[in-house]
Amino acid sequence: MPFEIIRGKQHKALRVLIYGVEGVGKTTLAAQFPDPLFIDCEGGTDYMDNVSRFPRPTSWQQLIMEVQQVIQDPSCCKTLVIDTIDWAEAKAIEMICAQYQVKGIEDFGWSKGYTYLHEEIGRLLNLLNNVRDRGINVVLTAHMNIRTVTLPDEQGAYDRYELKLKTAKNGNNSQLVKEWADMVLFLNYKQFVIEDSKTKKTKVTGGRQRVMYANHTAAWDAKNRFGLPDELPLEFSAIAHLFQTEKTAEEKVKELFGVENVQVVDHTELVPVPTPQEAVNNPTKYVWQPKPFTPDEETELARLPKALQDLMKANMVHPEEIQTAVGKKGYFPKDMPVSNYPEDFIAGCLVGAWPSVMQMIQEDRELPF
């Protein structure tokens, strides 16, 4: 079967990376994107009004689950914001170190830890591509480092603003994220070169005017695929035209006929109602319902590390289900409370391998009829 040949522009949601100096307004700018939903890794939106956010992820696995939820329910937002990607990277490092029971990413030797980290960030970016394929913009915010670049032959030196992500030789996450993005915006306060009236020497001084840069220079990384000028005011209105989308069916009817409160019904995705026999043949699909935690279970949950608590509550996993799965693997007796498990086992084998744990639990769940 021959492949279809596609010509012309492809109108897709955008992948945007925003980084800049501390306090310049990265989160504030991201909050102005169309209908944003934040995965707030560091609490940057805590004091912002009218911002939608997931619970702050306490583990890398929870962050991944929140991204997956957006893929499963693309109507929840028009822009997914991860604020910030460098704090998210730190969660990935915690997970990797817990899985391999090392204290830090440097303890692997031969930079092997950075290879694992690079692979995890790559998996996240692939998942974010799936978000984009669902018609949702993706925005990553990030902090930055300043590195002094010394020129050869005593030509001088200058400061370079760089993305605050790991840049090991065999795992350059900074480069990976920049390559992934359709647009990289560097945010800073506008700087001016002035001459001292007495000494006649020039110096650089900064003002209060905030700007964003959309093209690469020797001093910072930036790019765009839309012909934006080198410098823009730090306002969403400067790039808003890039996010204009096709009008919805409701908007088109309202525009054509002047009718308010229009609801256009989409019959393309009807949910089938199972017959009784289908429900019996496939009880997992039709019958299972989550059960609330009992007071004793709530007490047990309170004794567990918050990263495990959050994962269990998000999936309505009861402590007994964890104990059953662990008991079948032969790690600990089935009647041993989860709170008595060693900390390194909880971090590495439960939180660190949560997708596998959930698969076992889903297979073993006793479903009511």
Side-chain angles (χ1 to χ4, degrees):
M1 178 179 177
F3 291 102
E4 178 187 2
I5 298 175
I6 302 172
R7 293 183 172 88
K9 291 183 179 180
Q10 298 292 297
H11 297 283
K12 293 187 176 183
L14 301 186
R15 300 168 296 189
V16 183
L17 171 63
I18 299 171
Y19 78 109
V21 299
E22 181 180 357
V24 72
K26 299 181 289 293
T27 304
T28 302
L29 176 63
Q32 298 175 51
F33 278 66
D35 188 18
L37 175 61
F38 277 77
I39 297 179
D40 187 349
C41 300
E42 61 176 77
T45 66
D46 286 350
Y47 300 101
M48 298 177 69
D49 294 328
N50 302 319
V51 169
S52 299
R53 60 181 76 83
F54 280 116
R56 188 179 308 171
T58 50
S59 65
W60 178 250
Q61 291 77 4
Q62 183 180 346
L63 187 151
I64 295 297
M65 289 168 58
E66 290 175 347
V67 175
Q68 290 171 334
Q69 182 173 327
V70 175
I71 296 172
Q72 294 165 2
D73 180 19
S75 64
C76 66
C77 65
K78 293 181 180 177
T79 304
L80 177 64
V81 183
I82 296 183
D83 186 36
T84 59
I85 186 61
D86 43 293
W87 278 55
E89 182 188 57
K91 292 298 180 187
I93 293 174
E94 288 179 9
M95 183 270 293
I96 293 168
C97 292
Q99 279 188 336
Y100 291 93
Q101 298 184 7
V102 297
K103 293 182 179 180
I105 199 73
E106 297 279 356
D107 293 347
F108 285 90
W110 301 98
S111 294
K112 195 172 183 180
Y114 291 104
T115 301
Y116 295 145
L117 178 61
H118 191 66
E119 291 171 351
E120 285 298 328
I121 298 299
R123 292 189 186 100
L124 172 62
L125 296 180
N126 287 336
L127 205 58
L128 294 175
N129 282 338
N130 293 338
V131 173
R132 180 212 191 195
D133 291 342
R134 303 287 279 179
I136 299 171
N137 303 302
V138 180
V139 176
L140 307 180
T141 65
H143 297 96
M144 43 124 275
N145 289 319
I146 298 178
R147 179 171 64 94
T148 300
V149 178
T150 303
L151 298 175
D153 301 326
E154 299 182 353
Q155 295 181 48
Y158 64 91
D159 289 337
R160 193 171 198 284
Y161 300 90
E162 298 183 339
L163 199 58
K164 191 178 179 181
L165 289 172
K166 301 301 182 185
T167 56
K169 184 177 180 180
N170 58 340
N172 192 330
N173 291 334
S174 176
Q175 190 63 33
L176 182 66
V177 172
K178 288 183 292 186
E179 291 172 356
W180 166 87
D182 299 309
M183 180 164 58
V184 178
L185 298 175
F186 171 61
L187 278 52
N188 200 356
Y189 294 93
K190 189 172 178 62
Q191 298 176 339
F192 304 91
V193 178
I194 61 174
E195 182 180 77
D196 188 290
S197 57
K198 295 182 179 179
T199 64
K200 301 300 180 182
K201 292 183 178 180
T202 59
K203 64 177 181 178
V204 177
T205 183
R208 295 184 177 181
Q209 181 183 354
R210 298 179 303 165
V211 295
M212 51 187 178
Y213 299 98
N215 289 298
H216 180 89
T217 71
W220 58 74
D221 291 312
K223 72 173 186 179
N224 76 92
R225 295 170 175 166
F226 314 103
L228 295 177
D230 293 344
E231 181 182 307
L232 297 161
L234 209 169
E235 300 171 357
F236 179 72
S237 58
I239 56 174
H241 63 283
L242 301 177
F243 299 88
Q244 293 177 354
T245 57
E246 180 73 13
K247 292 181 180 179
T248 64
E250 288 85 354
E251 291 170 336
K252 290 179 179 178
V253 171
K254 180 178 177 181
E255 183 179 296
L256 287 172
F257 303 105
V259 180
E260 298 288 343
N261 300 321
V262 176
Q263 183 176 4
V264 177
V265 179
D266 181 6
H267 294 284
T268 60
E269 295 186 5
L270 298 179
V271 178
V273 177
T275 65
Q277 188 59 45
E278 286 175 329
V280 170
N281 293 340
N282 196 351
T284 303
K285 181 175 181 181
Y286 297 112
V287 180
W288 183 83
Q289 295 292 331
K291 296 182 295 184
F293 296 108
T294 66
D296 288 343
E297 288 176 329
E298 291 284 3
T299 301
E300 175 70 357
L301 283 169
R303 298 191 183 106
L304 302 177
K306 193 169 188 311
L308 182 58
Q309 283 185 47
D310 290 343
L311 292 172
M312 291 176 67
K313 289 180 179 179
N315 294 273
M316 291 304 295
V317 172
H318 294 253
E320 184 179 359
E321 294 180 299
I322 296 283
Q323 293 172 218
T324 299
V326 169
K328 284 190 173 183
K329 283 289 187 181
Y331 294 124
F332 300 106
K334 181 179 176 181
D335 58 353
M336 181 177 180
V338 181
S339 56
N340 288 352
Y341 293 170
E343 291 184 6
D344 58 349
F345 178 82
I346 291 177
C349 296
L350 295 183
V351 175
W354 184 253
S356 299
V357 175
M358 271 306 304
Q359 183 177 354
M360 290 182 59
I361 289 171
Q362 288 170 342
E363 292 173 353
D364 291 343
R365 272 176 168 162
E366 298 234 354
L367 304 176
F369 286 87

